[in-house]
Amino acid sequence: MKAKNPIPTSPLSISSPMAHLPPSAAFVLSLTLLHSSAAVSVDVPPCDLFVGQWLPDSSYPLYQYSSCPIIDPEFNCQLYGRPDSDYLRYRWKPAGCDLPAFNGLDFLARMRWKTVMFVGDSLGRNQWESLICMLNAAAPLSAAVMMRGDPLSTYRFLEYEVSVSFYRAPYLVDIDVVNGVRILRLDGIEKNGEAWMEADVLFFNTGHWWTHTGNLQGWDYMGDDGAYYKDMDRVLAFQRGMSTWAQWADLNINSTRTRIFFQSLSPTHYNPMEWKNPVSRNCYGETQPMSGFNYTSNNLAEGSMIQVIRGVLNSMRTLAYFSDITQLSELRKDCHPSIYSGDLTPQQRANPDHSSDCSHWCLPGLPDTWNQLFYTNLFF
């Protein structure tokens, strides 16, 4: 069964989510429950978790930056001098339902003896660190250990024997280095894929690195089926790489054991023409989200790449859950580090027009909502 935003119907060996539904029963989804050989249809209105609005909520954020020791400097906006904090106090409200509250202890208990692995680029690392902070806030006295490496880093909650890992693979497919020349293997993923085989939940993202050029480009040639290319249409290359990833998943992933999630593209906010009343030449100085339910940017490449992801996921035999966070994230022009990043020098911070980071996200911040949606789709 495939759907654009499917809700898990089989909880694998994770305990049944129905006993954990909030008492208000406000969370309603259109789904089929498979608790026996017969399917039981739930006659409730459909709810698209990814269409809605941001509402002020004084109970947020879900943790404090000072209580989470693993936030990288580039995401730690409050530590590095961001003067405003209202951006921290919003929650995502889907149009047709309410999200269940994130319960970190519940997450750890259900995932006991299991591994969650985020795979992708620095935005995947952004989300990985967010989830660790959310879980750490729920179990602050629980023993844990961090093992940092490249490409694999793992934070392990020892009491629960839960591992939350990040594997850096910005293109997902392999990069071979031959005599100092970097070859992006559009048709090869074996080296990276070997590290993903033992995870119980895999959460993938890719996208931004496929459009980089110049000094930001991570390869010298693209290789595909024995041919080498100095460059090609980037959306076409992305489609080829995504197809290689899908073939790997279909050949190697057992859906009764491993759950796969794939996140849509995280938007950037470098173009102030995309919103009303900008206060600078990019996201710097923005302190409030955009209003509305259906804001969509004019980024054509981004739209084409999202369509590639949808098409590839729908073509797979293996069930992969599409976490469609692009539009709800586009509303949050206020959530980027801009100049409040530990990766910038004082000289760079003095020049926000050219130095602002409007790609990554502050922690606490927007990735916490991505993880609340992940929690909802994983268990409910």
Side-chain angles (χ1 to χ4, degrees), residues 6-294:
I7 302 301
T9 57
S10 176
L12 307 180
S13 58
I14 300 169
S15 59
S16 170
M18 298 308 293
H20 297 264
L21 283 172
S24 65
F27 177 65
V28 290
L29 294 173
S30 178
L31 73 162
T32 301
L33 301 177
L34 301 180
H35 289 302
S36 65
S37 58
V40 181
S41 295
V42 180
D43 188 16
V44 294
C47 177
D48 186 340
L49 300 180
F50 303 101
V51 174
Q53 61 183 323
W54 291 97
L55 299 178
D57 191 326
S58 61
S59 69
Y60 280 60
L62 300 178
Y63 56 90
Q64 299 297 322
Y65 78 91
S66 56
S67 68
C68 189
I70 57 89
I71 301 175
D72 281 342
E74 64 184 306
F75 310 142
N76 207 335
C77 306
Q78 292 290 309
L79 179 63
Y80 287 95
R82 180 160 178 171
D84 62 303
S85 61
D86 285 351
Y87 72 96
L88 297 170
R89 300 184 180 92
Y90 285 88
R91 66 177 172 87
W92 177 246
K93 171 66 173 70
C97 58
D98 289 321
L99 292 177
F102 182 85
N103 185 327
L105 291 178
D106 177 56
F107 187 104
L108 290 168
R110 293 177 191 249
M111 293 303 297
R112 187 181 294 273
W113 304 304
K114 297 186 186 299
T115 295
V116 178
M117 183 180 289
F118 292 89
V119 180
D121 57 25
S122 56
L123 289 156
R125 178 164 54 88
N126 215 168
Q127 185 174 2
W128 169 65
E129 293 185 9
S130 161
L131 181 59
I132 293 171
C133 291
M134 294 166 74
L135 296 174
N136 182 70
L141 302 180
S142 183
V145 61
M146 168 69 90
M147 295 165 284
R148 285 195 182 270
D150 187 13
L152 179 64
S153 296
T154 297
Y155 192 91
R156 186 164 177 80
F157 292 87
L158 300 178
E159 178 182 351
Y160 296 89
E161 298 189 64
V162 173
S163 294
V164 185
S165 299
F166 171 68
Y167 186 95
R168 183 182 182 275
Y171 301 98
L172 301 185
V173 294
D174 294 336
I175 294 180
D176 290 341
V177 180
V178 181
N179 297 324
V181 177
R182 302 166 299 174
I183 301 172
L184 180 63
R185 289 276 312 283
L186 300 182
D187 58 348
I189 200 169
E190 296 80 13
K191 293 179 183 178
N192 285 338
E194 185 176 356
W196 311 335
M197 297 289 290
E198 298 305 315
D200 300 282
V201 178
L202 285 164
F203 199 111
F204 293 94
N205 89 288
T206 188
H208 286 274
W209 280 71
W210 290 88
T211 63
H212 288 343
T213 59
N215 292 334
L216 295 177
Q217 182 174 294
W219 47 269
D220 300 303
Y221 288 88
M222 295 182 184
D224 186 23
D225 196 23
Y228 298 92
Y229 305 88
K230 191 65 177 176
D231 207 343
M232 69 168 67
D233 179 87
R234 298 304 181 86
V235 175
L236 178 62
F238 179 68
Q239 183 175 34
R240 184 71 186 94
M242 281 292 302
S243 296
T244 298
W245 169 83
Q247 291 166 10
W248 172 87
D250 280 341
L251 286 173
N252 293 281
I253 294 300
N254 180 349
S255 294
T256 64
R257 178 192 178 278
T258 303
R259 193 81 57 85
I260 293 183
F261 290 79
F262 206 105
Q263 184 128 297
S264 63
L265 271 64
S266 172
T268 62
H269 290 93
Y270 289 103
N271 181 7
M273 299 298 291
E274 292 181 351
W275 59 87
K276 296 179 181 178
N277 304 317
V279 299
S280 73
R281 294 185 179 181
N282 49 47
C283 67
Y284 171 70
E286 297 292 345
T287 61
Q288 294 182 330
M290 288 176 265
S291 60
F293 282 82
N294 294 308

Side-chain angles (χ1 to χ4, degrees), residues 331-343:
L331 295 170
R332 298 311 304 270
K333 59 182 171 59
D334 54 325
C335 283
H336 296 287
S338 66
I339 63 169
Y340 305 106
S341 165
D343 280 2

Side-chain angles (χ1 to χ4, degrees), residues 339 344-355:
I339 63 169
L344 300 183
T345 65
Q347 293 76 19
Q348 288 173 318
R349 288 182 195 140
N351 189 6
D353 286 353
H354 295 94
S355 300

Side-chain angles (χ1 to χ4, degrees), residues 296-318:
T296 303
S297 79
N298 296 316
N299 190 318
L300 296 179
E302 177 186 281
S304 297
M305 294 171 79
I306 292 173
Q307 289 306 310
V308 168
I309 296 172
R310 286 186 181 275
V312 168
L313 296 185
N314 284 332
S315 72
M316 293 168 61
R317 295 191 306 272
T318 304

